[in-house]
Amino acid sequence: MPAPFAVPYTQAAVDGTILPPAFAGHLIITGALPTVAAGAANGTAPPAPTVTGNDTRGALGFGSGATPGAGAQVVVTFAGPYSVAPVVTVAAGNAATQALGLFVSAVTVNGFTLSSATAPTASQAATIYAAAFQVIG
């Protein structure tokens, strides 16, 4: 453990490796792109969801097919598995998405499912609903 600093600092670890306690600026995490697929409740013939980012953080875009329901809207599969099921947090990216009541309904070492408490409007483009995610494992 390094000697104490005269000013407060935060120390973090990535994949078990402790980062230096004195780093300035932003914490940038890079990695491979996860894959995404429409969930079972996303309706008939939904547009393909989109993802940017990596297994640690990212942004999702999704729409809906005909007759969507409440439940699984997007399934995210990590580019690489975690050693244990991670903690996933999600935030709505716009008012339309907030109205769905999004929540993470399942998490495994391989990915997570983003679900809604309310059914999306039918036949929406993949740019209508947006969410950001953060994964800590």
Side-chain angles (χ1 to χ4, degrees):
M1 188 65 144
F5 284 81
V7 295
Y9 70 94
T10 301
Q11 193 165 21
V14 175
D15 290 332
T17 301
I18 296 177
L19 299 175
F23 62 93
H26 300 97
L27 180 59
I28 308 289
I29 299 174
T30 61
L33 187 67
T35 58
V36 291
N42 199 234
T44 304
T50 61
V51 63
T52 60
N54 54 54
D55 284 354
T56 304
R57 53 100 186 122
L60 300 169
F62 65 100
S64 61
T67 64
Q73 301 301 320
V74 179
V75 177
V76 177
T77 302
F78 300 133
Y82 281 81
S83 58
V84 297
V87 174
V88 179
T89 56
V90 174
N94 58 35
T97 309
Q98 183 69 36
L100 296 178
L102 289 184
F103 62 98
V104 177
S105 60
V107 179
T108 71
V109 297
N110 296 309
F112 65 93
T113 301
L114 182 62
S115 293
S116 67
T118 302
T121 302
S123 303
Q124 299 298 300
T127 56
I128 297 299
Y129 302 111
F133 66 88
Q134 184 174 19
V135 181
I136 306 293

